[in-house]
Amino acid sequence: MLADLMPGVAAAPVDERPDAWIDLVAENPSPALVAQLRAYRQHWLAGQPAAAQPPIAARLQRLRAELAAQGLDGFVIGRADDHQGEYVPRAAERLQFVSGFTGSAGMALILKDRAAIFVDGRYTIQVKEQVDPSLYIYRHLVTEPVEAYIGEAMIAGQKLGFDPRLFTHDQAQRFRAAGTKIGVDLMAVVRNPVDAVWDGRPAEPLSAMLPHDIAYAGEAAGDKRRRLAARLKQEGRKAAVISAPDSLCWLLNVRGADVPRTPFALGYAILHDDARVDLFIDRRKLPPRTIAHLGNEVAIAQPDSFADALQALGGAGAAIATDAATTSAWIHDRLAQAGAKVQPGECICALPKAAKNATEVEGARRAHARDGAAVTRYLAWLAGRAPKGGLREIEASDKLASLRHPADLFRNLSFDSISAAGPNGAIPHYHAMPETQREIPLNSLYLIDSGGQYLDGTTDITRTVAIGTPTPEMKQCFTRVLKGHIALATARFPKGTTGSALDALARRPLWDAGLDYDHGTGHGVGSYLSVHEGPQRISKMPNRVALEPGMIISNEPGYYKEGEFGIRIENLVVVQPSAQHPNMLEFETLTLAPIDRNAIEKSLLTPDEIAWLNAYHARVREVIGPQLDGADKDWLIEATRAI
């Protein structure tokens, strides 16, 4: 019945396609039916009582009472869902519920008389603005990890709880080792204590899983299954557990809408060495055309049968591949206890998914050309609107979203845009809220980080724009970030090189001035999938994954002066064989939009850097210019004039 769908429909993100849920009900519905279904949804929502949540302090009090009832002295809370994802459904936002922190990564450790929250360098400013220091102490997730705090704050004989579905086996082992050192037992809970005290917790999301056309995927799902199954057989493994939603969607050439801004369908799959797949997903998510697309070599089962399937895999005593990054401790332990030879490692889909095929790369080029036109129109609008005053952050980002909507194949934003004026730009993952947003002041820097989800590609672009006249310090810092960006964009490197080996190229101009930034320089990007995709990355952190042709990755050095301004220049690039040196690789820049010439201190640029910038802007004019007209085109010509 339609009413049975509505809790899950209401829990799914609305984003840019409020009628997407109708795919669950009817294929190619008439306008009259669409209108009726819209009205039904509004009527249903209006009848739902609002769940008034108590203050954070009261939530912590209730949580501590629940911990005591379960015989626990502490509890570790992560920000991930059952799939260890960055973008999670509302029902998994447990860290936000207990702390108020809205960032995409973090943990908390709740004890009887104290609590600590752990965030990485992207969120050290944000966490202080969102989380009450009288309730939590702030810790750095990397340099002051949860394991260290366990040793500092807990004592022998205590019991520390965790939800094994929400942490990986490696994470659980680190918690267990830290506790063992001081005599603290790590206990896997059956019922998550946060869920027990979260009145009105949203249902699991319900959105349609739809086929992703081979015209965009470039390879049939059956061919992918057979290719990876052959690898399993060669390695002597009977099956692989697919726990990452992007891997599941890539393998089966499907997409969904269960989490914000990212076309994921949440579920699990088991790929067998004969290319069969067992798919564990709520069958209500599968319209008839999706079932036909999956074919008879994909067996569909309800999620509650997944535990029995793992038990059966383990009972055979075979070697089973799992993804160390996304397979929960619950899955690992279920397999191991049943007798499987669990072999954690990189997801079997990770590298094939990351190294885009020719169709996906060409799709990315087309998507970036359309996206670049929208961003350029926005920058032209911003140049005229912002100096007049009164422009606020949300209005600015809403304008950019409205310019993306009409583009061909557009489906969604790829993340909530970061629209940051002045001091807010110093918060790398800032999120403007109606009650805290700023006006964009004159003689300042404004940072806009945004992207789009198109059927043929995912985009991510950051531009920092001088509103009025920037200070000499702003221009010098901007130019050093630009120098690092150019150094990475022009890098040529031997096959087998990892992103870690290239990271210093982007930081060197900042290091020369005693400056740095506390985030990675580049993350992988999917093909109409996640805007943050592994396993490749460019960062200080060691990474053993070599860059390969077809990998799309961001180039985004930055600089952040707390309380004053932030700078980031981000383009996406794709790894390609070098035209001059066949044994070398290089980057092709995909992103096309002007870089603000008004924020550049030309005297800091070398002749080669000036040549790169002028050539880049000439290419922007060539590709984006024909898509514009009138004042927008005039602005583009001026904005890309050679320096």
Side-chain angles (χ1 to χ4, degrees):
M1 292 179 60
L2 192 56
D4 295 333
L5 298 177
M6 296 316 295
V9 168
V14 175
D15 291 344
E16 310 301 306
R17 298 181 64 221
D19 292 336
W21 70 277
I22 293 176
D23 287 321
L24 293 167
V25 181
E27 295 185 338
N28 301 315
S30 67
L33 180 56
V34 169
Q36 288 179 319
L37 290 171
R38 284 176 181 165
Y40 179 86
R41 184 175 187 272
Q42 289 301 317
H43 177 75
W44 186 90
L45 289 172
Q48 301 308 301
Q53 297 296 347
I56 299 295
R59 299 178 205 179
L60 280 175
Q61 185 177 11
R62 289 187 62 191
L63 177 58
R64 288 182 168 119
E66 178 65 23
L67 295 182
Q70 293 195 25
L72 299 173
D73 301 289
F75 189 67
V76 183
I77 302 168
R79 198 265 169 185
D81 63 359
D82 295 33
H83 307 273
Q84 320 308 313
E86 176 184 5
Y87 295 97
V88 303
R90 288 163 50 208
E93 292 281 10
R94 298 176 179 89
L95 183 60
Q96 180 179 343
F97 176 77
V98 301
S99 70
F101 175 66
T102 63
S104 64
M107 291 188 193
L109 179 55
I110 313 299
L111 301 174
K112 291 180 178 179
D113 58 350
R114 69 187 86 173
I117 188 163
F118 305 77
V119 300
D120 62 29
R122 297 170 294 173
Y123 297 115
T124 52
I125 299 175
Q126 179 177 331
V127 72
K128 295 174 184 177
E129 296 182 348
Q130 292 184 324
V131 179
D132 188 341
S134 70
L135 301 177
Y136 287 88
I137 65 168
Y138 310 128
R139 305 267 297 201
H140 196 288
L141 188 62
V142 178
T143 60
E144 303 171 296
V146 174
E147 305 91 272
Y149 192 67
I150 292 171
E152 297 171 19
M154 301 192 73
I155 59 176
Q158 290 188 321
K159 291 180 170 55
L160 175 64
F162 83 111
D163 188 332
R165 295 177 182 267
L166 305 178
F167 293 94
T168 66
H169 176 69
D170 285 349
Q171 288 174 317
Q173 289 297 88
R174 291 199 299 272
F175 299 156
R176 183 169 286 108
T180 300
K181 286 183 181 179
I182 57 171
V184 169
D185 292 330
L186 184 69
M187 311 293 293
V189 301
V190 175
R191 186 187 184 198
N192 191 302
V194 177
D195 298 352
V197 302
W198 186 349
D199 295 333
R201 178 171 169 258
E204 293 299 319
L206 196 59
S207 72
M209 173 193 274
L210 299 174
H212 185 53
D213 199 292
I214 194 170
Y216 309 121
E219 183 181 11
D223 292 338
K224 293 178 180 180
R225 290 190 285 105
R226 285 184 285 274
R227 177 156 59 102
L228 298 190
R231 177 178 155 193
L232 284 175
K233 190 163 288 189
Q234 182 181 16
E235 295 171 349
R237 300 174 176 183
K238 288 297 294 180
V241 175
I242 310 297
S243 47
D246 59 337
S247 291
L248 183 152
C249 290
W250 174 86
L251 178 66
L252 299 179
N253 282 352
V254 293
R255 300 295 188 266
D258 283 340
V259 300
R261 308 298 188 193
T262 308
F264 284 175
L266 298 180
Y268 293 100
I270 297 173
L271 171 65
H272 298 274
D273 66 354
D274 60 0
R276 291 181 301 106
V277 165
D278 298 323
L279 173 62
F280 301 88
I281 195 165
D282 189 331
R283 198 178 181 93
R284 294 177 298 173
K285 294 182 180 183
L286 306 180
R289 69 180 183 273
T290 303
I291 294 174
H293 162 79
L294 292 172
N296 58 16
E297 290 191 320
V298 177
I300 302 164
Q302 286 294 108
D304 58 10
S305 66
F306 185 47
D308 290 340
L310 295 175
Q311 188 77 19
L313 274 183
I320 306 298
T322 62
D323 177 9
T326 66
T327 298
S328 69
W330 178 86
I331 293 174
H332 180 282
D333 292 347
R334 174 80 57 167
L335 285 169
Q337 290 164 9
K341 300 180 181 68
V342 186
Q343 297 182 349
E346 194 169 81
C347 176
I348 193 169
C349 299
L351 277 175
K353 170 168 54 69
K356 310 296 185 285
N357 60 47
T359 298
E360 291 171 316
V361 171
E362 183 56 32
R365 293 188 184 107
R366 292 193 300 266
H368 279 85
R370 295 190 301 274
D371 196 67
V375 172
T376 300
R377 290 188 186 97
Y378 172 74
L379 294 174
W381 171 84
L382 185 71
R385 174 65 182 84
K388 296 177 182 178
L391 178 61
R392 298 172 73 81
E393 292 167 332
I394 294 177
E395 179 188 351
S397 60
D398 285 350
K399 177 66 176 181
L400 178 52
S402 73
L403 292 170
R404 279 193 168 103
H405 278 209
D408 290 343
L409 307 184
F410 176 81
R411 287 297 179 269
N412 206 337
L413 302 180
S414 55
F415 56 96
D416 288 334
S417 299
I418 299 170
S419 176
N424 288 340
I427 306 171
H429 276 212
Y430 170 74
H431 180 61
M433 301 293 288
E435 63 274 14
T436 60
Q437 65 170 325
R438 290 177 177 267
E439 286 189 7
I440 301 175
L442 200 61
N443 303 326
S444 71
L445 294 179
Y446 167 68
L447 186 152
I448 178 72
D449 186 349
S450 67
Q453 291 283 9
Y454 302 85
L455 287 176
D456 54 355
T458 300
T459 71
D460 184 3
I461 174 175
T462 307
R463 289 295 181 262
T464 305
V465 181
I467 307 299
T469 304
T471 66
E473 180 187 22
M474 291 174 182
K475 293 181 71 171
Q476 289 170 11
C477 293
F478 182 95
T479 308
R480 290 188 180 278
V481 172
L482 177 59
K483 288 169 70 71
H485 180 94
I486 295 171
L488 189 56
T490 57
R492 183 174 293 130
F493 46 93
K495 294 177 181 179
T497 299
T498 68
S500 303
L502 302 179
D503 183 74
L505 296 176
R507 297 180 190 269
R508 171 68 187 272
L510 288 162
W511 287 351
D512 286 345
L515 308 176
D516 199 6
Y517 51 94
D518 193 8
H519 61 70
T521 301
H523 58 82
V525 177
S527 181
Y528 187 43
L529 276 173
S530 179
V531 75
H532 292 157
E533 178 182 271
Q536 77 277 18
R537 66 175 182 267
I538 300 174
S539 73
K540 292 179 182 178
M541 295 179 62
N543 183 358
R544 293 179 294 180
V545 178
L547 298 176
E548 297 183 10
M551 286 183 170
I552 296 175
I553 196 163
S554 66
N555 172 4
E556 53 178 313
Y559 174 68
Y560 311 92
K561 186 173 184 181
E562 186 172 350
E564 295 195 30
F565 60 84
I567 299 163
R568 190 162 61 252
I569 302 171
E570 178 186 20
N571 286 344
L572 299 191
V573 299
V574 59
V575 181
Q576 296 280 40
S578 171
Q580 291 84 6
H581 304 281
N583 293 324
M584 304 288 280
L585 300 173
E586 58 192 20
F587 294 123
E588 172 194 339
T589 296
L590 296 169
T591 304
L592 297 169
I595 295 169
D596 190 9
R597 296 161 61 256
N598 298 321
I600 295 172
E601 176 54 62
K602 182 179 177 181
S603 65
L604 292 179
L605 295 177
T606 67
D608 285 346
E609 290 166 342
I610 292 172
W612 181 91
L613 181 64
N614 288 339
Y616 175 73
H617 276 157
R619 184 162 165 252
V620 170
R621 268 197 317 276
E622 177 187 356
V623 176
I624 303 301
Q627 302 180 66
L628 308 181
D629 53 27
D632 290 340
K633 191 165 188 175
D634 293 341
W635 180 88
L636 172 64
I637 292 170
E638 175 61 24
T640 56
R641 184 167 46 83
I643 65 170

